[in-house]
Amino acid sequence: MTAPGERRRGTTSTTERRRAVRGAGDAARRAADGLAALVQHRLEGVSAVRRGEDDGWIVNVDVLELARIPDTTSLLATYEVELDPAGELLQYRRIARYRRGAQDQ
């Protein structure tokens, strides 16, 4: 038996254990958080979320890569982030780079 406030050996708290992704919103948050820690750019938003082939998630995250004045000339990029079913970041890659004021083609 353990004293109050002590943890038993071999157990993990629920905050330490990684939960499975609970829907597209949860996948988007985890992908954005994971990417932000790696690329050190300001996030602009999530533009797409879809299921991957292995029950993981593919998330497109838009980031501000280079801020300019006026803001319409700033450079943004879209990164494709792949998560496993547990929400761990497996890989990412930049799939597009564009000027904020540019039209979609």
Side-chain angles (χ1 to χ4, degrees), residues 60-79:
N60 289 359
V61 181
D62 301 319
V63 301
L64 176 65
E65 289 200 332
L66 181 61
R68 290 185 175 162
I69 299 174
D71 192 47
T72 55
T73 62
S74 294
L75 292 178
L76 287 89
T78 300
Y79 285 82

Side-chain angles (χ1 to χ4, degrees), residues 20 34 37 44 50 57 69 83 85 93 101:
E44 291 286 310
R50 68 182 188 277
W57 294 88
I69 299 174
L83 303 176
R93 65 187 181 110

Side-chain angles (χ1 to χ4, degrees), residues 39-66:
V39 298
Q40 302 293 312
H41 292 299
R42 189 180 91 196
L43 300 181
E44 291 286 310
V46 172
S47 54
V49 179
R50 68 182 188 277
R51 281 285 197 177
E53 294 176 11
D54 63 348
D55 278 342
W57 294 88
I58 307 295
V59 181
N60 289 359
V61 181
D62 301 319
V63 301
L64 176 65
E65 289 200 332
L66 181 61

Side-chain angles (χ1 to χ4, degrees), residues 13-33:
S13 71
T14 54
T15 56
E16 291 175 353
R17 211 174 313 130
R18 199 71 170 166
R19 293 185 324 265
V21 175
R22 293 187 286 171
D26 191 24
R29 278 186 294 281
R30 291 189 193 198
D33 291 346

